[in-house]
Amino acid sequence: MRAAKRTAQATPESLHQIFTIAEAPDSTLGVIEQEMSHNLAGFLGNHIVATKNALTDIEQDFIDAQIPEQPAFVSDHMDHLLDKLVAQSVHTSSPSFIGHMTSALPSFILPLSKLMVGLNQNLVKVETSKAFTPLERQVLGMMHNLVYQQDESFYQAWMHSAKHSLGAFCSGGTVANITALWVARNKLLKPDGNFNGVSRSGIFAALQHYGYNGLAILVSERGHYSLKKSADILGIGQESVIAIATDENNKIDCQKLAEKCQQLAKENIKVLSIVGVAGTTETGNIDPLEQMAAIAKQYQCHFHVDAAWGGATLLSNKYRPLLKGIELADSVTIDAHKQMYVPMGAGLVIFKDPESVAAIEHHAEYILRKGSKDLGSNTLEGSRPGMAMLVYSSLHIISRPGYEMLINQAIEKAEYFADLITQHDDFELITKPELCLLTYRYAPKQVQNLLTKFNNENDKEALAAVNLLLGKLTKFIQKRQREDGRSFVSRTRIEVARYNGEKVIVFRVVLANPLTSKEILHDILAEQCQLAQESENFLPQLLSAAS
Ligand SMILES: *Cc1c(COP(=O)(O)O)cnc(C)c1O
């Protein structure tokens, strides 16, 4: 008899369940699976996020450059891995590991990834991925739909068309950004008369042909470093990535952006692309995308949105409006391995115009023949795994409302943590969360008052001296917390508008793990207070300055 069709529903309980996992069998392999499962579930004893071993100690286990002459039994090798690798790994899934965008995975990912690896399909060409190619095209269609919301006939027409592609699946946001700017470059410097286009003739000939003095990529000073990598390999040069100042909310200053566009036009430097960031890596803020799109239109340049981290917010009907204007972008980067809870190696770029990818089309005789549906003809990477399956499966298993719950929960938890920090006398909130990311630092009330005083007096030197000490203290606390291994927050250095744009060292927190409880957040602050007391120099110096 066939089982009755189940109807699943996304509830907070069911979401909690998918981030926890059942016990695994008690074999060596089972132990590893269990260890991994526990990692996945975030159920680690005492919420330990990392071993106490220093990196240089761990390196001693990986010191031998000889390829083994002796074979090993798999079971023995598993023991070896358990000891040397698993035990010393960073438990990114621990609910007290809240420092990075790499976080917990749902438990169903482990069996599904085995299936994916076992099938070993290669997405470069249909001949090695007959079902996976249509699946990946469908995933690109779904993600295109998430951003651009075209009608059904649009997807019926383009999703599986040999001459088109709605995007490119790749290993991550870096390659997605490179691909987007590659398309923008080749479309801008396209073949024209006798000129064969930048793709065939190179950047020097292209600039000469079109008579430009140079190219520029404009992005806020919070832009991701992958844009510089892109400019580097596309032959444009890192110096052509121009950082535009941000306002006090870490959003690009559109006035300054427009002024820069005008200035560059006068210098005959063509803007290759304006890049909006939807969820900056350091502060999680979203640029005013609608305004940026209008500027891009005025200067007739490509508009790319780097939503590597924040793009998943589109799955939440409640918070989707934060990304208003993203649908005006010519291309959008989204990392499924960040807020979509897919393991690493899952990035994608989506193109508004299904014909865009023709600009980067490459062919070869034995594969990627003209007219084939091979995805490899318009991806930077060659051989590629079937990661799209994990995005496909996650979208089915979690569903849009399930993702909405995860995203809403994360944002609301960040707001809770921000309130906690604001109300605490010994902490200073540096950037308020717009999504589930915030920055703050340890600064006792009297030191905060001192900063306010110096600020009012416009005493920049005194301000800088206090910020320097606070920075050292923040660094001390963050390192100790990481080494102790109970919890982890990351740290970064950002300009803070209220301190005259001075760069200060801050803790950075990403609240993506659904199992991170309010209790854990309280514990993390308590631990940081405790560690501050253990700093031999910095805190006493600060307190004596403030008294
Ligand atoms: C993470 C991130 C990237 C880079 O993505 P990878 O997957 O690490 O290559 C690019 N841009 C932004 C805004 C990001 O947050």
Side-chain angles (χ1 to χ4, degrees), residues 101 171-175 177 224 226 277 279-281 306 308-309 335 337-338:
M101 291 169 173
S171 64
T174 300
V175 177
N177 282 340
H224 191 265
S226 56
V277 191
T280 64
T281 316
D306 183 357
W309 180 68
D335 256 345
H337 63 219
K338 286 179 181 166

Side-chain angles (χ1 to χ4, degrees), residues 244-262:
I244 308 292
T246 48
D247 63 17
E248 67 282 5
N249 294 315
N250 301 293
K251 293 166 186 278
I252 196 167
D253 181 334
C254 282
Q255 176 84 34
K256 295 218 166 91
L257 174 64
E259 283 166 15
K260 186 50 100 177
C261 285
Q262 203 168 19

Side-chain angles (χ1 to χ4, degrees), residues 211-437:
Y212 296 131
N213 290 343
L215 299 177
I217 295 167
L218 306 186
V219 66
S220 94
E221 56 195 353
R222 296 268 178 273
H224 191 265
Y225 64 84
S226 56
L227 297 170
K228 284 197 173 159
K229 284 189 186 171
S230 311
D232 182 349
I233 52 181
L234 290 172
I236 300 159
Q238 292 188 36
E239 286 167 5
S240 303
V241 178
I242 300 177
I244 308 292
T246 48
D247 63 17
E248 67 282 5
N249 294 315
N250 301 293
K251 293 166 186 278
I252 196 167
D253 181 334
C254 282
Q255 176 84 34
K256 295 218 166 91
L257 174 64
E259 283 166 15
K260 186 50 100 177
C261 285
Q262 203 168 19
Q263 184 204 332
L264 291 170
K266 274 195 204 134
E267 294 170 15
N268 193 30
I269 292 173
K270 177 68 189 174
V271 177
L272 169 66
S273 180
I274 290 178
V275 180
V277 191
T280 64
T281 316
E282 285 167 299
T283 61
N285 294 104
I286 302 156
D287 280 336
L289 304 176
E290 240 174 349
Q291 277 172 271
M292 294 181 83
I295 297 171
K297 195 170 172 195
Q298 188 188 343
Y299 288 91
Q300 298 194 340
C301 61
H302 187 98
F303 179 40
H304 175 63
V305 172
D306 183 357
W309 180 68
T313 312
L314 294 168
L315 291 158
S316 159
N317 291 342
K318 184 173 176 186
Y319 292 105
R320 181 183 174 97
L322 291 175
L323 280 76
K324 199 158 179 289
I326 195 169
E327 71 285 353
L328 302 169
D330 296 300
S331 55
V332 176
T333 285
I334 299 179
D335 256 345
H337 63 219
K338 286 179 181 166
Q339 289 198 85
M340 287 180 73
Y341 301 95
V342 168
M344 266 168 291
L348 34 88
V349 55
I350 300 298
F351 294 103
K352 184 182 207 169
D353 175 3
E355 294 191 0
S356 288
V357 290
I360 55 168
E361 211 169 280
H362 280 248
H363 296 284
E365 287 305 329
Y366 72 108
I367 52 163
L368 317 182
R369 292 173 201 101
K370 278 201 171 121
S372 81
K373 293 190 173 181
D374 296 341
L375 288 163
S377 55
N378 40 47
T379 54
L380 175 61
E381 288 154 285
S383 295
R384 256 179 338 101
M387 289 298 293
M389 184 196 112
L390 299 181
V391 180
Y392 175 87
S393 298
S394 299
L395 285 169
H396 278 272
I397 294 170
I398 298 177
S399 79
R400 209 267 326 145
Y403 272 116
E404 164 141 26
M405 260 182 228
L406 289 168
I407 288 174
N408 295 0
Q409 265 183 17
I411 294 177
E412 283 146 25
K413 204 182 293 170
E415 285 165 358
Y416 174 85
F417 196 36
D419 285 343
L420 207 62
I421 291 164
T422 311
Q423 283 158 22
H424 199 302
D425 268 355
D426 292 340
F427 289 95
E428 180 188 12
L429 187 67
I430 300 289
T431 57
K432 269 194 281 203
E434 189 170 8
L435 299 175
C436 66
L437 202 166

Side-chain angles (χ1 to χ4, degrees), residues 10 29 104 168 523:
L29 193 55
D523 289 349

